[in-house]
Amino acid sequence: MAIEDYLTIAPKTDEIIETDAVIVGAGPVGLFQVFELGLLEIKAHVVDSLKMVGGQCMELYEHKPIYDIPALPVCTSRELTENLLKQIHPFGPQFHLGEEVTIVRKEEDGRFYVETDKGTRFMTKTVFIAAGVGSFQPKRLSVPGIEKFEGTQLHYQVKDPELFYGKNIVICGGGDSALDWTLNLVGKAESVILLHRRDGFRAQSASVAKMRELCENWEMQFEVGQVTGFEEKDGKLTEIRVTGDDGVVRRMPLDHLLVFFGLTPKLGPIADWGLEIYRKQIVVDTEKFQTSIPGIFAVGDINTYPGKKKLILCGFHECALAAFAAADIVHPEKKTLLQYTTTSPKLHKVLGVETPTLD
């Protein structure tokens, strides 16, 4: 089954949605937070500014291998995302994608009013911020007017590689993303030119060596220079003007321009929610992973505490402790007991699986 088969996109409504938890961020840690909350019978809505789940992993490294997920010797970001969605499917989380949470405000009754830039409103008992290092914004070309081709011929990320097959491609950048897509598209695109402002790279040396080998074999080109202008005809980008380090301006015909100058993380509206922040990260305790505002938790790369390590598996650990702390808020009348999915009939029931019988 595809990722979309496990997603329940929440219907649009003008009503305020009442829920136990709102999770800000649908990356691996945000998805696993759904699971830990679900085991404790806490219902969650998940909001992400991206139009897809999987967070930074899916946005930047969808097909790259990950080696440090427990019990999975290797998996891609897509496979990890698919497995997490399968895991949380029994809990029926509602997703609000392509929406940025702009307002988080504590009300007099202790609940939180949450609102997105699309006008979706929540009244929730708890908030979980799993926003990675904030929202990523690609560093864009500073060429006036070229932005009108974004999404058609100007691309800051690759969603469908087949779009470039048989086309004339120029790729800008000197990091891993630029080199990876250069090597991937050589032999599939009609032509590939790699353009970088200098003859030096931030990418893996093996990728650079392979690129130079392809250039020597006339399978692609590498040019030093920067995009300083463009030409268009009938509303289509037809060529770019490139100024080399020798000051000479050259014209490069093309069908598509791919730009990989890196990403800039921004906290965005999170900075205005009244939380204690240190170096663009949210300060939490290590007992509950609660922020300076009780009832708001922060898990994953967005938080900071002594000894913090920005690893997915550390984020998963934080999710478990934050969920138990949230249970005391959501279900104050209940005592939350530690149970094991291996042996607990109650957990088997919420997971929708049968309790095994011992022979």
Side-chain angles (χ1 to χ4, degrees):
M1 296 177 71
I3 282 178
E4 294 75 16
D5 296 323
Y6 292 100
L7 278 177
T8 301
I9 303 299
K12 295 295 182 182
T13 179
D14 294 329
E15 302 294 324
I16 294 180
I17 300 168
E18 295 199 9
T19 184
D20 295 331
V22 168
I23 300 172
V24 183
V29 173
L31 295 178
F32 192 67
Q33 187 67 74
V34 173
F35 180 78
E36 289 296 328
L37 291 172
L39 290 179
L40 300 176
E41 300 181 278
I42 299 173
K43 296 294 184 181
H45 283 251
V46 184
V47 184
D48 200 296
S49 60
L50 298 176
K51 294 182 179 180
M52 58 186 288
V53 295
Q56 178 183 351
C57 286
M58 283 287 286
E59 186 76 359
L60 302 180
Y61 313 113
E62 178 177 351
H63 301 293
K64 280 202 167 186
I66 301 172
Y67 298 98
D68 61 350
I69 304 299
L72 292 175
V74 60
C75 68
T76 64
S77 296
R78 172 168 282 275
E79 290 168 338
L80 176 61
T81 300
E82 288 175 347
N83 284 333
L84 285 165
L85 286 171
K86 292 176 187 176
Q87 191 174 34
I88 68 177
H89 190 64
F91 304 122
Q94 301 277 304
F95 286 88
H96 307 260
L97 302 179
E99 300 190 39
E100 184 178 52
V101 173
T102 53
I103 298 173
V104 173
R105 183 179 67 235
K106 195 160 191 175
E107 301 294 285
E108 291 184 2
D109 64 0
R111 295 186 297 171
F112 295 91
Y113 173 80
V114 176
E115 185 174 328
T116 76
D117 59 347
K118 298 296 190 295
T120 304
R121 298 173 298 161
F122 305 89
M123 193 63 71
T124 180
K125 297 176 181 177
T126 57
V127 175
F128 292 80
I129 305 173
V133 290
S135 61
F136 280 98
Q137 303 295 326
K139 296 178 182 177
R140 287 172 160 77
L141 273 176
S142 57
V143 177
I146 202 168
E147 65 277 359
K148 64 185 172 183
F149 302 108
E150 190 171 330
T152 55
Q153 292 176 276
L154 172 60
H155 312 271
Y156 293 98
Q157 59 183 335
V158 175
K159 292 293 187 183
D160 180 11
E162 293 186 8
L163 177 66
F164 310 114
Y165 292 1
K167 305 295 184 180
N168 297 298
I169 308 299
V170 176
I171 298 176
C172 298
D176 282 317
S177 294
L179 268 294
D180 286 349
W181 281 113
T182 296
L183 300 180
N184 182 281
L185 290 171
V186 168
K188 299 171 184 173
E190 177 67 22
S191 67
V192 176
I193 300 175
L194 176 63
L195 178 66
H196 188 36
R197 58 186 173 82
R198 59 188 179 88
D199 190 8
F201 298 88
R202 305 180 310 278
Q204 295 183 31
S205 57
S207 297
V208 176
K210 180 63 177 176
M211 180 273 294
R212 296 195 187 279
E213 179 186 338
L214 291 170
C215 290
E216 290 174 3
N217 294 331
W218 299 99
E219 296 180 62
M220 61 163 288
Q221 291 177 253
F222 167 61
E223 298 289 343
V224 175
Q226 300 184 67
V227 181
T228 53
F230 65 91
E231 298 292 334
E232 62 178 300
K233 183 178 180 180
D234 298 328
K236 291 192 67 175
L237 178 66
T238 57
E239 62 183 34
I240 54 174
R241 293 195 296 272
V242 175
T243 302
D245 58 356
D246 55 4
V248 175
V249 178
R250 298 172 176 84
R251 300 164 77 124
M252 288 186 185
L254 80 171
D255 297 310
H256 292 278
L257 178 61
L258 283 66
V259 178
F260 300 105
F261 288 163
L263 298 169
T264 302
K266 295 183 178 179
L267 274 181
I270 294 174
D272 302 322
W273 297 348
L275 303 167
E276 182 182 353
I277 293 174
Y278 177 72
R279 292 184 177 178
K280 297 184 180 181
Q281 298 166 12
I282 301 172
V283 177
V284 296
D285 63 49
T286 53
E287 177 189 4
K288 302 176 179 179
F289 296 94
Q290 189 165 239
T291 69
S292 57
I293 299 178
I296 301 181
F297 304 85
V299 291
D301 288 356
I302 196 73
N303 73 18
T304 185
Y305 52 86
K308 169 70 179 185
K309 298 293 183 288
K310 291 189 176 184
L311 297 170
I312 294 175
L313 62 91
C314 293
F316 288 168
H317 154 75
E318 295 163 11
C319 289
L321 296 189
F324 274 92
D328 293 335
I329 298 173
V330 177
H331 304 302
E333 73 286 354
K334 297 181 183 178
K335 183 177 181 180
T336 304
L337 301 175
L338 178 63
Q339 300 183 67
Y340 302 101
T341 57
T342 309
T343 55
S344 169
K346 181 180 180 180
L347 295 185
H348 293 160
K349 183 178 179 181
V350 298
L351 285 167
V353 298
E354 292 185 7
T355 300
T357 56
L358 298 176
D359 295 330

